[in-house]
Amino acid sequence: VNQPVERAYRLSNALSPDLQAYRMTVLPSLLDKVYANVKAGYDSFMLYEFGKGHDKSLKLVDGLPVEPQYLDLVYVSTKPQPGAAFYVGRGVVDYLASRLKLDLVVESVDTGDDSIVLGPFHAKRRAVVSTADGQKVGYIGEVKPSVRKAFKLPEYTAVLSLDFEALSQVYVATGSVYQPLSRYPSVYRDVSLKTNLEVSASEIEASVKNAIKVTSLDGVKVNYEITSVFKPTEGETKNTTLHFTITPYEGTLKGEQVNSLMDSVTDLV
């Protein structure tokens, strides 16, 4: 998994050479279980685990190793799927953010980031997940070709690793409280935005979030997710499609209200 073995704790009485090192993160354990499930006939599935990792490079606390808590996930499909596997991991992050009422940002990984978690991740198909104020809570992406070959993974493989403790702390800090389901029907809209190729998904998201804050109606909640990105073989533009869910809490929305809201969002973006 391209993790530096010198950072792993070792057992002095291991049952076999393959079991002499503590795992540094949870993801390798999941990757190791993929091929057995594929061989058993499962062509599309997701594995996840809440677990601990051990990294010798981390400082000791009271003379004992730190045990980071992870929520790791791997999704695979042996059949062709629309879009890149990366967006499956992105979809999981968006779902968690929506359910936990968190404002999470997905952006490119800093070249100086040497996190042990990134070992199996494809260098050009990975992203860091952070809070709006810059606190890092995890990574999403696809695996390196060498890792995919070593574990006999399908080409369509997405991976996700979240720092569970950091995510929990962020959630507690929000003071989130239960919000009942709306009594009124939600309205759904799809919008395609045409931008230059150099405009990143995170920049589009930042503009959309700002536009929603500026234009959102009282008693109306607006959620969205990026569903596809189309880049033609020629040209300097791309199309990013977003799916909006508009939920009223004070009364049924009228068509002109929805249209006015969406027009304002697209104009500001």
Side-chain angles (χ1 to χ4, degrees):
V1 292
N2 295 122
Q3 292 178 333
V5 70
E6 64 273 9
R7 288 170 62 173
Y9 286 97
R10 293 177 177 272
L11 296 174
S12 59
N13 58 344
L15 296 176
S16 76
D18 291 338
L19 301 174
Q20 64 180 326
Y22 270 74
R23 66 181 182 182
M24 290 173 275
T25 60
V26 173
L27 189 58
S29 299
L30 296 176
L31 297 177
D32 191 42
K33 300 298 183 291
V34 170
Y35 181 68
N37 281 276
V38 171
K39 197 173 181 181
Y42 297 99
D43 53 27
S44 179
F45 58 91
M46 185 178 292
L47 304 175
Y48 70 93
E49 180 185 348
F50 292 88
K52 298 177 180 179
H54 298 82
D55 183 353
K56 289 174 68 175
S57 68
L58 300 178
K59 293 182 179 179
L60 301 179
V61 177
D62 296 329
L64 297 174
V66 175
E67 297 181 311
Q69 295 274 0
Y70 293 101
L71 164 56
D72 283 14
L73 174 152
V74 56
Y75 171 83
V76 302
S77 176
T78 59
K79 297 181 178 180
Q81 299 286 340
F86 173 89
Y87 292 103
V88 175
R90 175 59 191 268
V92 173
V93 169
D94 288 344
Y95 176 78
L96 288 174
S98 173
R99 298 294 292 178
L100 298 175
K101 306 296 189 296
L102 299 179
D103 188 9
L104 299 180
V105 179
V106 177
E107 53 192 356
S108 58
V109 177
D110 191 301
T111 54
D113 194 331
D114 64 346
S115 171
I116 195 74
V117 174
L118 290 172
F121 283 71
H122 195 298
K124 296 183 178 179
R125 298 182 182 179
R126 63 186 186 183
V128 61
V129 182
S130 307
T131 60
D133 59 1
Q135 182 178 350
K136 195 179 300 180
V137 296
Y139 302 91
I140 60 173
E142 300 178 25
V143 294
K144 295 177 179 178
S146 59
V147 174
R148 195 169 68 235
K149 182 179 179 180
F151 286 96
K152 300 180 181 179
L153 304 175
E155 183 174 353
Y156 198 92
T157 300
V159 288
L160 165 67
S161 182
L162 295 177
D163 183 331
F164 186 67
E165 289 184 357
L167 192 64
S168 299
Q169 291 171 4
V170 171
Y171 175 70
V172 171
T174 63
S176 296
V177 294
Y178 170 73
Q179 183 178 36
L181 295 175
S182 174
R183 297 165 51 199
Y184 307 99
S186 296
V187 176
Y188 306 95
R189 289 288 186 272
D190 290 318
V191 175
S192 182
L193 301 176
K194 189 174 184 178
T195 63
N196 292 328
L197 289 175
E198 61 268 18
V199 177
S200 66
S202 59
E203 290 175 319
I204 293 175
E205 281 194 296
S207 297
V208 171
K209 288 179 182 178
N210 181 61
I212 290 174
K213 289 180 181 179
V214 172
T215 63
S216 185
L217 303 171
D218 291 336
V220 176
K221 184 176 182 180
V222 182
N223 289 326
Y224 72 93
E225 62 176 336
I226 296 177
T227 56
S228 68
V229 179
F230 174 72
K231 298 179 181 179
T233 54
E234 297 181 357
E236 298 180 355
T237 61
K238 63 180 179 181
N239 293 327
T240 303
T241 301
L242 299 98
H243 179 71
F244 287 84
T245 301
I246 308 167
T247 305
Y249 283 85
E250 298 178 356
T252 302
L253 287 171
K254 297 180 179 179
E256 54 266 27
Q257 289 178 299
V258 176
N259 293 335
S260 176
L261 174 62
M262 297 311 301
D263 289 341
S264 298
V265 169
T266 53
D267 288 343
L268 286 174
V269 173

